[in-house]
Amino acid sequence: MTNADLEKLVDTTDEWITTRTGIKERRIARDMATSDMAVEACKRAMEMAETKGEEIDVLVAATVTPDYKLPSLGCVIQEKLSLPNAVAFDVVSACTGFINGLTIANAYIETGSYKKIMVVGVEKLSTFVNYRDRNTCILFGDGAGAAIFAPSHNGRGVQSTFMKSDGSMREMLWSKSGGAAFPVTEEFNFDGTDKVMMNGSDLFKVAVKEMGNAATEVMQKAGVDSSEISIIIPHQANIRIIEALAKRLKLDMNKVFLNIEKYGNTSAASVPLALDEANRQGRINEGDYVLMVAFGGGLIWGSALIKW
Ligand code: COA
């Protein structure tokens, strides 16, 4: 879906969207459920890691757009992918979902609870976006990205993680109706409150501040200076947020991986999609410090530093 397509739906322009967000296109999954996208991403991760379904101990599905309210998306993916020895479950941390999943995977590995953990960040936000609201519909797209975590003994792998949330700001980015607090009943008038609602300008300020703090936190924890970071994989929400973050961290923009132009904001899929593209493009080499940082509805934010 291009900016020109959106011009036909709401009062907006390609110029406004491009200059305010950096987004030109987003992908819309027309004939696929969220689980179908996740299965595709997981298969490619398993292929790259030369891992069979039987070897996966845990599947963490990070999403706010599961196929069903019950059961979890994780259990649907487990059946479609055939992961007979795994426990599968979801984490609901919006755009920070993949980093939350990574943090869980890392903790399981550190404690020796499980050995092979697949984390998939996946969203079908097109089912959740109000295409009458120009404040939000221009931002979001569909996508999936997955990674497999396993123990390493040579100093490589996850060096440090950081997670923080503040539920008092939850109404900056939320979907009010359709849950147990405000169920969709026969009287519901479909006024858009069951879709994504957002206070963009307030969110923008918190995002820059807290993503900056989260990134600094993981570097300090690992004793790594920002000059040693080879590549930063930020959540792709808005090019101006990413530029402000890079400035705050004193990181050159050529160290920042960007693909927002093609996908828009894909929430939990954003970081793993960008990580995978950077990796397949040869932008990440063995021994590189890779910094991932994200921010999203909750509000919840987090970061992870990996030695590749
Ligand atoms: N096309 C044209 N005009 C639009 C528009 C659109 N798609 N969306 C909003 N506008 C208008 C607004 O109505 C407003 O008009 P007004 O001044 O007449 O009231 C004007 O543009 C400026 O709106 P504002 O919200 O101040 O713009 P902004 O510079 O803050 O940019 C966002 C808006 C949404 C792009 C920006 O705030 C943002 O990216 N915030 C973070 C959102 C985010 O990342 N969310 C997910 C977090 S994980």
Side-chain angles (χ1 to χ4, degrees):
M1 182 182 273
T2 63
N3 291 349
D5 294 328
L6 284 162
E7 283 175 0
K8 292 177 202 138
L9 296 177
V10 288
D11 180 14
T12 193
T13 60
D14 171 46
E15 201 264 331
W16 193 97
I17 300 172
T18 307
T19 53
R20 299 285 177 124
T21 69
I23 303 166
K24 283 283 195 190
E25 299 172 4
R26 48 313 272 140
R27 266 61 211 163
I28 307 297
R30 294 210 193 279
D31 303 314
M32 297 178 96
T34 306
S35 58
D36 299 318
M37 287 188 284
V39 163
E40 211 39 62
C42 289
K43 275 186 185 163
R44 293 190 203 175
M46 288 162 69
E47 207 176 277
M48 186 182 256
E50 295 174 358
T51 299
K52 294 194 180 71
E54 301 79 55
E55 295 172 58
I56 301 292
D57 299 317
V58 183
L59 172 74
V60 184
T63 192
V64 292
T65 49
D67 285 5
Y68 312 107
K69 283 208 170 112
L70 186 73
S72 69
L73 180 68
C75 285
V76 179
I77 302 169
Q78 172 178 27
E79 190 269 328
K80 288 192 177 181
L81 254 185
S82 200
L83 308 175
N85 301 315
V87 56
F89 58 88
D90 294 2
V91 296
V92 182
S93 303
C95 312
T96 312
F98 180 78
I99 291 185
N100 195 359
L102 177 163
T103 304
I104 292 166
N106 189 46
Y108 277 150
I109 289 168
E110 279 186 346
T111 56
S113 308
Y114 295 104
K115 281 211 171 80
K116 280 211 174 160
I117 299 146
M118 184 149 61
V119 181
V120 56
V122 56
E123 302 287 6
K124 189 171 172 179
L125 287 166
S126 55
T127 58
F128 196 43
V129 161
N130 180 358
Y131 286 102
R132 292 193 183 130
D133 177 11
R134 69 177 184 174
N135 289 297
T136 52
C137 72
I138 54 140
L139 296 173
F140 299 104
D142 300 339
I148 296 171
F149 295 84
S152 79
H153 303 284
N154 50 11
R156 287 162 61 199
V158 179
Q159 307 292 304
S160 54
T161 58
F162 172 80
M163 295 286 302
K164 180 77 180 71
S165 62
D166 184 344
S168 72
M169 294 188 278
R170 64 187 181 277
E171 290 180 15
M172 278 188 201
L173 181 58
W174 70 321
S175 170
K176 181 177 173 181
S177 306
F182 299 98
V184 169
T185 58
E186 273 180 32
E187 291 77 43
F188 187 67
N189 64 1
F190 292 97
D191 54 1
T193 58
D194 58 328
K195 304 287 186 187
V196 180
M197 299 189 293
M198 183 185 79
N199 176 343
S201 50
D202 284 354
L203 208 51
F204 192 105
K205 290 173 212 138
V206 188
V208 173
K209 177 170 165 252
E210 298 301 354
M211 280 168 89
N213 289 344
T216 307
E217 192 81 30
V218 281
M219 288 190 283
Q220 277 174 359
K221 267 192 195 176
V224 170
D225 188 74
S226 67
S227 60
E228 296 174 75
I229 302 295
S230 303
I231 188 164
I232 172 162
I233 311 278
H235 168 46
Q236 313 277 318
N238 183 318
I239 185 75
R240 292 185 295 137
I241 294 180
I242 297 172
E243 283 166 354
L245 173 73
K247 199 169 159 197
R248 214 181 147 101
L249 296 175
K250 298 190 178 66
L251 272 169
D252 199 285
M253 276 304 282
N254 66 22
K255 284 191 172 177
V256 180
F257 188 81
L258 294 172
N259 63 5
I260 187 170
E261 191 179 312
K262 275 191 297 181
Y263 304 111
N265 181 346
T266 57
S267 184
S270 159
V271 169
L273 260 182
L275 180 68
D276 181 62
E277 283 203 343
N279 186 31
R280 288 181 199 261
Q281 287 171 17
R283 291 273 304 266
I284 313 179
N285 299 304
E286 194 174 318
D288 280 356
Y289 281 117
V290 181
L291 176 63
M292 289 174 251
V293 56
F295 176 91
L299 300 179
I300 181 164
W301 53 94
S303 55
L305 182 69
I306 289 186
K307 191 168 185 187
W308 200 256

